[in-house]
Amino acid sequence: MSQLDTPIEVEDSQTVITELTPQALYDKLMALARNLWWTWHPEVINLFRDLDPIRWRQLDHNPIALLREFTLERLATRAAEMVLHSRINYAHRRLKEYLNSKQVWAATNAGVLGAAPVAYFSAEFGIHESIQIYSGGLGVLSGDHIKSASGLGVPLVGVGLFYDQGYFKQHLDENGYQKEEYLDTKVEDLPMEPALTPGGEPVEVRIDTRNGTLLARVWLMRVGRVPLYLLDCDVEGNSPQDRKLTSRLYGGDERTRIRQELVLGVGGVRVLQALGIRPGVYHLNEGHSAFGPLEVVRQRMHDDGLGFDDALREVARQTVFTTHTPVPAGHDRFQGPLVEEHLGPLRESLGISYDQLMGLGRVEPQNHDEPFCMTVVGLRLSRRANAVSALHGHISRRMWAHLWPWRVEEEIPIGHITNGVHVPSWLAWQMRQLYDRHFPAGWIHRMGEPEVWQFIHQVDPGELWETHHALKNLLLSFVRRRVSRQCRRRAERDEVVEAARNVLNPNYLTIGFGRRFATYKRAALVFANEERLARLLNNPERPVQLIFAGKAHPKDEPGKHLIQRISNMRHDPRFQHRVVYLEDYDINVCRHMIQGVDVWLNNPRRPLEASGTSGQKVVLNGGLNMSILDGWWAEAYDGENGFAIGRGTSHVSDEITDARDAESLYQVLEHQVIPMFYERDVDGLPGRWIKRMMNSISTLAWRFSAHRMVMDYTRTMYVPAAGGLSCDMDLR
Ligand SMILES: *Cc1c(COP(=O)(O)O)cnc(C)c1O
């Protein structure tokens, strides 16, 4: 039995057991907790919650940490009280069936990958709030990608880093200024174990640099059918400083960054080799892992006797690169000496000169003033590359046109696959019940198909509205709980804490804005004209309320000032009862927001939002998007399935663009969103609004699902890269 088959053999599942021994109870629950499959199965989440709802919440919904607090005795008592035995058996059986099922989409669509899987590299994976190895959208996208690969049965392994402190926890001080707190995670509380070689030894990789050797150990995490391997530099044998190298996401300076990227890319490829995995495809999700293919080249030269150029060509054929950043400054760049310090030994094994190596990372290989850019090397070492929305594809082709000076812009070989979200992870349980009642049986396995979602038009409008309202109420109670906790933490007066317990009104139009506070996202755009906004929000016939959340990067002072400005609106009588700011935006906060809002506001400065995915999560749950025509929304909006801010243009002057977009935002609110929301039919329902909710679900849910996205990657990138013949759109 290999390490990947082990976990869930607890009892003979043929015998029908309803009374489990305390030990068997514990083992089965632990087996469920140790495969992240549970994170997208509400019935299993509820099972864990029922063990101890209060601790469940306090422990960040971490089932291993929760179970570790139980004695066998107490577990048995609790399971009896809550009648959990058959639910545990049922869940356990479902997981087992899932892991053993051979009837998957990929069996008929990606056979070639069976023998040679995809290795998917990413610097962050956002799988669940209890596993803090993500900071934002990029990580959540990677998490959703591997969850859908698991669901579709695409043979794929993930490669990333284990950050024991992860990204920071955010809270605001009494002035509304962001404070960052880094917490140590306990490895024992996480669903990981040391990854083992075929011989049963723990994997350890070594990477030589000019000034010593970096060591990393490797953890295995199971995400459904997908194994995720995480490198961790906190090992004996590393210097004290290097032991902290993988502590934090995006912390530290350039040197930390290049060292982390060396571990991810080169280390990651070595991990696969040590595990005996021979990938057919290397997928680099963003430039952080783009050193990886150089190590693959070295292996091919060593194993197959190829020269550098031939090996490079072969490796590029197998490599897929996804770029996410439409701003030139957003791409990692390193100076020559730093590159030589870290890649020097590998460069020598490749038999290439310093100039040759640097040339791979430069737009103009001979330009000695140009630093080494991870996106450039990613593009040069892959034969298939893509952006993450149609508009971003267009921007990326223009931005990197100089790499192919002999080609016209339309022929620059960067395509696009628009991002999508993992439906079962983001779909509220209540909404899932509604879909289960009205959609064809087994629809959840076909969620990437448009036909399935047309059934939403047959749902009774009243039922859809009620379901949405139930979710909105859940969001409001979450907001009240969080806001009163925030007030207590700041040691505010009792009246303030008490007022927080009743903040917001479930009957008012509720608009959400949750995302990183990067300045291009313009969190404060809606406050461009405070008087005008105050009048809109406080209209007694048609009141409106706003919920904000989001972290600023620790070094982003302008971002922190935006947070401060918005959170301090609570001292302004005009906004006191209409605007709230939730601290510590993470997957959990995001999930509550996207499931309960009426409208999701997205107003980045076009074209800087490569795709954006939070609005796609809103669609699934019946919320409507009100967004600038940027990223995914530029190709999603059809006039009837949400609201558009602006006309999809921007001025060369940011100031003018911002003023225009703010004006359009107010116009859309005043003339479309607010009137439509408050327009009630004879039955008291907002008929036109509900129609728009249905349009949004039927036209967008399938298209912007991660299942559709992974099917696109598989058909147009993975299968051709692995040597399969179908759909080869190879342009180079
Ligand atoms: C979905 C998600 C994001 C992505 O948000 P966008 O700004 O729309 O790209 C970021 N952070 C978290 C926690 C998310 O769940």
Side-chain angles (χ1 to χ4, degrees):
M1 195 189 291
S2 92
Q3 190 181 14
L4 293 177
D5 308 324
T6 43
I8 58 159
E9 221 42 68
V10 176
E11 288 210 13
D12 180 7
S13 65
Q14 298 310 310
T15 34
V16 181
I17 312 157
T18 43
E19 275 313 304
L20 296 165
T21 64
Q23 188 64 50
L25 261 179
Y26 184 87
D27 291 347
K28 284 199 170 183
L29 283 167
M30 208 42 128
L32 285 166
R34 295 192 72 83
N35 188 316
L36 291 162
W37 174 86
W38 70 264
T39 61
W40 65 93
H41 288 84
E43 69 277 17
V44 194
I45 297 172
N46 291 337
L47 190 54
F48 292 135
R49 178 187 296 122
D50 286 346
L51 288 174
D52 187 337
I54 294 174
R55 288 303 287 156
W56 174 248
R57 189 176 281 162
Q58 288 167 345
L59 291 167
D60 245 349
H61 310 145
N62 179 338
I64 296 184
L66 183 72
L67 283 168
R68 278 164 44 86
E69 291 186 351
F70 273 83
T71 59
L72 286 182
E73 213 178 349
R74 189 170 148 239
L75 187 66
T77 313
R78 188 66 186 162
E81 252 169 46
M82 299 297 294
V83 207
L84 300 180
H85 290 250
S86 55
R87 284 167 65 193
I88 295 172
N89 274 330
Y90 179 74
H92 191 259
R93 189 184 297 262
R94 290 273 315 278
L95 170 59
K96 204 158 147 169
E97 280 165 9
Y98 179 86
L99 295 178
N100 293 330
S101 172
K102 299 283 178 288
Q103 285 175 322
V104 289
W105 175 84
T108 41
N109 291 277
V112 57
L113 302 171
V118 179
Y120 180 86
F121 286 71
S122 184
E124 36 172 322
F125 285 90
I127 300 163
H128 186 256
E129 55 267 25
S130 63
I131 305 170
Q132 309 210 354
I133 54 172
Y134 70 95
S135 76
L138 183 71
V140 174
L141 179 79
S142 311
D144 281 5
H145 192 106
I146 61 176
K147 287 174 183 176
S148 278
S150 169
L152 295 163
V154 176
L156 182 142
V157 303
V159 180
L161 297 178
F162 175 65
Y163 307 95
D164 60 352
Q165 295 191 330
Y167 204 52
F168 66 92
K169 291 244 157 224
Q170 177 203 49
H171 60 92
L172 305 188
D173 68 13
E174 50 286 4
N175 301 316
Y177 191 75
Q178 171 176 299
K179 295 286 165 197
E180 296 108 28
E181 187 184 11
Y182 290 88
L183 300 177
D184 288 319
T185 344
K186 288 202 209 89
V187 167
E188 318 82 86
D189 284 345
L190 294 178
M192 333 192 281
E193 64 206 52
L196 304 178
T197 64
E201 295 296 313
V203 176
E204 186 174 83
V205 295
R206 310 168 62 85
I207 307 153
D208 290 329
T209 72
R210 286 276 178 241
N211 64 12
T213 301
L214 269 171
L215 304 177
R217 61 177 163 173
V218 185
W219 301 100
L220 165 62
M221 215 177 249
R222 299 162 209 272
V223 185
R225 302 181 178 102
V226 170
L228 171 58
Y229 296 101
L230 301 172
L231 291 94
D232 174 3
C233 287
D234 186 11
V235 290
E236 265 175 54
N238 274 339
S239 69
Q241 208 181 357
D242 284 338
R243 291 189 72 153
K244 293 206 163 62
L245 180 60
T246 49
S247 275
R248 296 179 181 184
L249 251 155
Y250 309 135
D253 54 6
E254 299 263 283
R255 223 177 116 71
T256 308
R257 229 176 143 90
I258 196 171
R259 288 168 90 76
Q260 285 189 341
E261 295 183 3
L262 183 71
V263 173
L264 175 64
V266 175
V269 170
R270 290 190 185 158
V271 168
L272 299 172
Q273 189 186 35
L275 289 164
I277 296 171
R278 293 187 128 258
V281 182
Y282 294 87
H283 184 175
L284 315 175
N285 187 43
E286 190 51 303
H288 309 113
S289 52
F291 291 136
L294 290 174
E295 167 62 14
V296 188
V297 169
R298 189 193 64 79
Q299 292 179 0
R300 293 300 298 269
M301 291 170 72
H302 179 269
D303 295 351
D304 302 336
L306 296 175
F308 176 76
D309 289 335
D310 289 337
L312 187 72
R313 203 169 304 119
E314 293 274 303
V315 171
R317 215 171 45 78
Q318 289 186 287
T319 306
V320 171
F321 177 68
T322 303
T323 176
H324 292 262
T325 319
V327 211
H331 298 260
D332 269 332
R333 287 185 172 78
F334 299 113
Q335 294 303 324
L338 211 51
V339 175
E340 177 60 16
E341 179 191 341
H342 292 97
L343 272 289
L346 178 60
R347 172 180 76 67
E348 280 165 7
S349 336
L350 294 171
I352 59 173
S353 68
Y354 170 78
D355 280 343
Q356 265 177 299
L357 174 66
M358 288 300 290
L360 289 172
R362 288 177 178 147
V363 177
E364 296 170 54
Q366 308 306 327
N367 179 356
H368 291 262
D369 297 329
E370 208 185 305
F372 186 97
C373 173
M374 296 303 279
T375 304
V376 174
V377 75
L379 289 168
R380 283 199 201 284
L381 297 181
S382 59
R383 257 199 16 212
R384 290 173 184 79
N386 71 290
V388 291
S389 70
L391 178 60
H392 180 227
H394 180 72
I395 300 293
S396 301
R397 284 187 289 280
R398 177 174 304 169
M399 191 154 82
W400 300 110
H402 299 306
L403 281 175
W404 294 272
W406 60 93
R407 291 194 177 193
V408 296
E409 200 173 294
E410 293 71 36
E411 289 175 8
I412 298 301
I414 303 175
H416 80 270
I417 293 179
T418 306
N419 288 342
V421 295
H422 185 243
V423 174
S425 293
W426 297 105
L427 179 58
W429 178 80
Q430 291 82 346
M431 205 53 108
R432 170 77 189 264
Q433 301 283 301
L434 179 119
Y435 293 163
D436 282 349
R437 277 198 298 280
H438 297 281
F439 289 11
W443 73 271
I444 196 85
H445 304 294
R446 296 168 47 207
M447 59 192 132
E449 300 171 23
E451 296 75 22
V452 166
W453 297 89
Q454 300 317 308
F455 286 87
I456 191 65
H457 292 289
Q458 294 176 13
V459 173
D460 172 49
E463 189 185 354
L464 180 58
W465 189 245
E466 272 168 29
T467 309
H468 168 64
H469 248 261
L471 291 169
K472 188 170 170 182
N473 279 309
L474 286 178
L475 168 62
L476 291 205
S477 52
F478 177 77
V479 168
R480 289 170 178 180
R481 202 160 61 231
R482 284 290 186 115
V483 173
S484 53
R485 193 172 88 191
Q486 289 169 198
C487 293
R488 277 199 307 274
R489 175 177 207 137
R490 286 190 291 250
E492 296 194 356
R493 285 173 307 156
D494 289 345
E495 306 94 83
V496 178
V497 179
E498 196 46 45
R501 287 211 183 92
N502 292 302
V503 73
L504 304 188
N505 183 319
N507 296 315
Y508 296 177
L509 171 63
T510 303
I511 301 178
F513 181 102
R515 44 181 57 82
R516 285 184 301 122
F517 270 53
T519 33
Y520 79 84
K521 296 191 186 236
R522 299 189 297 189
L525 190 72
V526 72
F527 295 100
N529 181 338
E530 293 190 5
E531 272 310 311
R532 188 169 174 184
L533 180 67
R535 275 198 306 277
L536 278 179
L537 303 192
N538 295 299
N539 177 338
E541 258 99 69
R542 304 188 303 193
V544 181
Q545 55 200 9
L546 293 164
I547 305 172
F548 284 87
K551 295 174 177 177
H553 189 276
K555 289 181 185 153
D556 179 9
E557 284 303 322
K560 291 186 187 182
H561 284 119
L562 280 178
I563 290 175
Q564 195 167 24
R565 176 167 172 214
I566 291 173
S567 69
N568 284 348
M569 294 289 173
R570 68 203 182 88
H571 301 306
D572 184 329
R574 296 171 302 171
F575 298 116
Q576 212 159 38
H577 303 292
R578 293 285 185 275
V579 178
V580 299
Y581 179 87
L582 296 179
E583 294 177 7
D584 205 31
Y585 187 61
D586 68 352
I587 288 179
N588 184 39
V589 176
C590 179
R591 194 191 303 108
H592 280 93
M593 290 178 77
I594 56 96
Q595 291 180 351
V597 293
D598 297 309
V599 171
W600 192 245
L601 174 63
N602 177 43
N603 46 227
R605 198 175 283 142
R606 179 183 152 115
L608 300 185
E609 192 65 86
S611 166
T613 53
S614 53
Q616 303 170 346
K617 303 167 189 168
V618 170
V619 166
L620 303 172
N621 296 290
L624 292 180
N625 281 274
M626 170 169 60
S627 170
I628 295 277
L629 290 164
D630 194 11
W632 79 286
W633 194 240
E635 67 198 77
Y637 177 65
D638 70 2
E640 303 288 334
N641 57 5
F643 305 96
I645 305 168
R647 293 198 316 273
T649 53
S650 38
H651 196 274
V652 289
S653 147
D654 284 349
E655 210 173 312
I656 296 178
T657 303
D658 293 356
R660 277 186 190 168
D661 288 346
E663 176 59 30
S664 170
L665 170 51
Y666 292 128
Q667 294 275 348
V668 173
L669 271 177
E670 285 165 12
H671 301 298
Q672 299 182 43
V673 177
I674 299 175
M676 197 187 294
F677 181 84
Y678 283 105
E679 174 190 306
R680 300 295 152 121
D681 302 342
V682 280
D683 48 11
L685 294 174
R688 283 207 301 149
W689 187 275
I690 297 173
K691 182 77 189 131
R692 209 161 268 231
M693 287 164 69
M694 290 177 172
N695 290 341
S696 163
I697 294 166
S698 68
T699 60
L700 304 174
W702 68 274
R703 252 175 92 192
F704 299 100
S705 70
H707 269 50
R708 188 276 309 151
M709 170 179 76
V710 172
M711 293 193 289
D712 281 354
Y713 274 104
T714 305
R715 280 193 285 243
T716 66
M717 313 277 263
Y718 297 163
V719 168
L725 292 173
S726 68
C727 317
D728 198 333
M729 54 162 218
D730 183 4
L731 294 162
R732 288 180 220 192

